[in-house]
Amino acid sequence: VDIGDGTRVLRAGAHLPEDGPPEDGLPQDGTPLVPSPVFASTYHLRGEPHGDFQYGRTANPTWTHLETALGDLEGGEVVTFSSGMAAASAVLIQLLRPGQVLVLPSDCYYAIRSLAEGFLAETGVVLRRAESRTEALLEQLDGADLLWIEVPTNPRLDVVDVRRLTSAARRAGVLVAVDTTTMTPLGLPALTLGADLAVASDTKALAGHSDLLLGHVACATPELAQRIRSWRTSTGAIPGPFEAWLAHRSLATLDLRLARQAANGLAVAGALAASPVVRDVRHPWLPGDPAFALAGDQLRRGNGLVSFTLADAEAADRFLGASRLIAEATSFGGVHSTAERRARWQADDVHPGFIRMSCGCEDTADLLADATQALTAAH
Ligand SMILES: *Cc1c(COP(=O)(O)O)cnc(C)c1O
């Protein structure tokens, strides 16, 4: 059935009316409409081990509920983790052995780069780095084992051609993992574009309220899912049931939140691009953006991320200090607008006046007015 994103996030993991009532009949009157979190390290288990729920590190009904819902949106089996980095490291550490080759964009999320350059390289995984450009990554595929891409890149918001990369990788026998954190499965269901794995930090837009850390891996095959799940069980990188429940609760409004964030992102990017004191405004859904055509082709919808550059670090700090609605904070994708001068971390290769802004769910007119007055104060 062709249903919209607002309905999909509400019905994900549940029986659609078209499927008929659940096998065990209609829910009993008086039972809650949505399940509560299950807090358990220990389950009753008599005799020979049996059933799904034996011990809290192996399985939890609240994870299962969220994983079923995310699995519907991703189009594959999902394993949730305690954070985005726990999910990413499950893929990178479990699927790569010494001597195998990882192709990694030189501008992907900094913690992934440092895991690869530190731990993975030390254990003998061979790194091939290239800029996040389709051609540059294609050139690295020969003889590789895993291609990691991020769409759009964070913080510079470049977009690569996922379909071209996954089909070339398939021909070359290379697995592809896509970091879809900034898009969520609604904007980029990467498995449907041919990826083997979609990896996300649900800390960002998916959970979206700046109050928890969580991550997930969606797998194209049961074999991959089994390897990723067994990694979680043996390392213990499990989500807390309360975090999983909160993320599932937040999923219900993902479509609404992304719609407002995307509208705000486009409005703010347009206003910034029209200002003579702002350079290099990036928002893939802004007509004229270098990624506009690819974003329209591959991404199902927009988000609230905008990046831009002011004259210098001082101008950027004045902008951040003058804003009333945009909190100076790292991370993005939440209901509150945030922004930061990325160069303060000395982790990304960006201009000192470079700002990454995440438009939240404020009223568009209010956010525009605030961004405009902050820009005036900056110069
Ligand atoms: C934040 C982020 C991560 C890491 O997620 P955590 O939940 O912070 O561990 C990975 N990839 C991208 C693109 C991110 O923005």
Side-chain angles (χ1 to χ4, degrees):
V1 237
D2 210 10
I3 54 172
D5 283 354
T7 312
R8 287 174 69 222
V9 289
L10 286 169
R11 304 302 310 191
H15 290 270
L16 286 169
E18 288 84 349
D19 300 337
E23 278 155 37
D24 50 348
L26 292 171
Q28 287 240 311
D29 283 350
T31 54
L33 205 60
V34 291
S36 304
V38 175
F39 300 108
S41 61
T42 315
Y43 304 93
H44 286 292
L45 181 67
R46 297 178 186 88
E48 288 302 311
H50 59 275
D52 291 338
F53 302 108
Q54 304 178 345
Y55 181 60
R57 182 161 31 76
T58 321
N60 174 287
T62 309
W63 306 344
T64 308
H65 190 220
L66 174 62
E67 288 170 357
T68 310
L70 292 177
D72 279 359
L73 301 175
E74 293 277 19
E77 197 172 322
V78 165
V79 185
T80 49
F81 284 88
S82 50
S83 68
M85 281 312 296
S89 53
V91 169
L92 292 168
I93 301 175
Q94 172 73 320
L95 301 184
L96 288 167
R97 294 287 171 266
Q100 290 195 309
V101 176
L102 167 66
V103 179
L104 192 71
S106 49
D107 50 354
C108 74
Y109 185 67
Y110 79 97
I112 302 215
R113 275 185 277 130
S114 70
L115 175 76
E117 286 156 14
F119 178 81
L120 287 179
E122 282 161 24
T123 57
V125 171
V126 179
L127 288 189
R128 283 190 199 159
R129 269 153 297 193
E131 267 180 65
S132 272
R133 285 184 298 104
T134 309
E135 299 294 340
L137 291 166
L138 282 171
E139 280 170 20
Q140 302 296 330
L141 287 184
D142 231 15
D145 294 284
L146 178 68
L147 167 67
W148 183 277
I149 52 180
E150 188 178 313
V151 187
T153 52
N154 168 27
R156 275 192 294 204
L157 308 182
D158 280 316
V159 178
V160 292
D161 191 330
V162 183
R163 272 196 211 90
R164 262 187 81 195
L165 284 165
T166 55
S167 59
R170 179 132 316 177
R171 282 194 302 275
V174 180
L175 283 178
V176 181
V178 186
D179 184 336
T180 60
T181 299
T182 54
M183 295 311 306
T184 83
L186 292 188
L188 177 56
L191 304 186
T192 67
L193 297 187
D196 301 283
L197 304 128
V199 185
S201 167
D202 301 327
T203 309
K204 316 291 166 56
L206 193 127
H209 291 71
S210 306
D211 51 10
L212 63 87
L213 280 92
L214 199 84
H216 78 263
V217 179
C219 307
T221 67
E223 293 70 35
L224 282 171
Q226 197 276 328
R227 292 184 70 188
I228 297 300
R229 195 178 297 279
S230 79
W231 173 264
R232 179 182 68 180
T233 302
S234 51
T235 59
I238 55 169
F242 191 56
E243 279 75 8
W245 181 79
L246 276 175
H248 201 159
R249 192 180 195 275
S250 305
L251 189 61
T253 55
L254 181 59
D255 169 65
L256 292 169
R257 288 184 282 113
L258 285 179
R260 174 62 69 83
Q261 289 171 344
N264 283 352
L266 194 59
V268 167
L272 292 171
S275 162
V277 298
V278 183
R279 287 188 292 121
D280 298 330
V281 176
R282 294 299 309 269
H283 181 69
W285 300 273
L286 184 70
D289 187 277
F292 183 76
L294 264 181
D297 179 47
Q298 318 221 4
L299 307 178
R300 291 180 65 246
R301 52 191 298 166
N303 67 22
L305 282 176
V306 179
S307 68
F308 58 99
T309 303
L310 299 183
D312 48 30
E314 291 68 32
D317 285 339
R318 282 196 298 274
F319 173 87
L320 296 168
S323 165
R324 297 277 167 274
L325 293 179
I326 309 162
E328 184 174 351
T330 198
S331 194
F332 58 88
V335 289
H336 302 87
S337 289
T338 57
E340 69 172 334
R341 204 168 61 72
R342 278 304 290 186
R344 68 175 173 165
W345 295 104
Q346 296 169 355
D348 301 318
D349 180 21
V350 290
H351 186 278
F354 176 98
I355 291 177
R356 180 187 64 194
M357 176 171 171
S358 170
C359 297
C361 293
E362 297 84 2
D363 287 289
T364 307
D366 295 337
L367 188 60
L368 260 184
D370 186 57
T372 308
Q373 69 80 21
L375 205 55
T376 309
H379 281 87

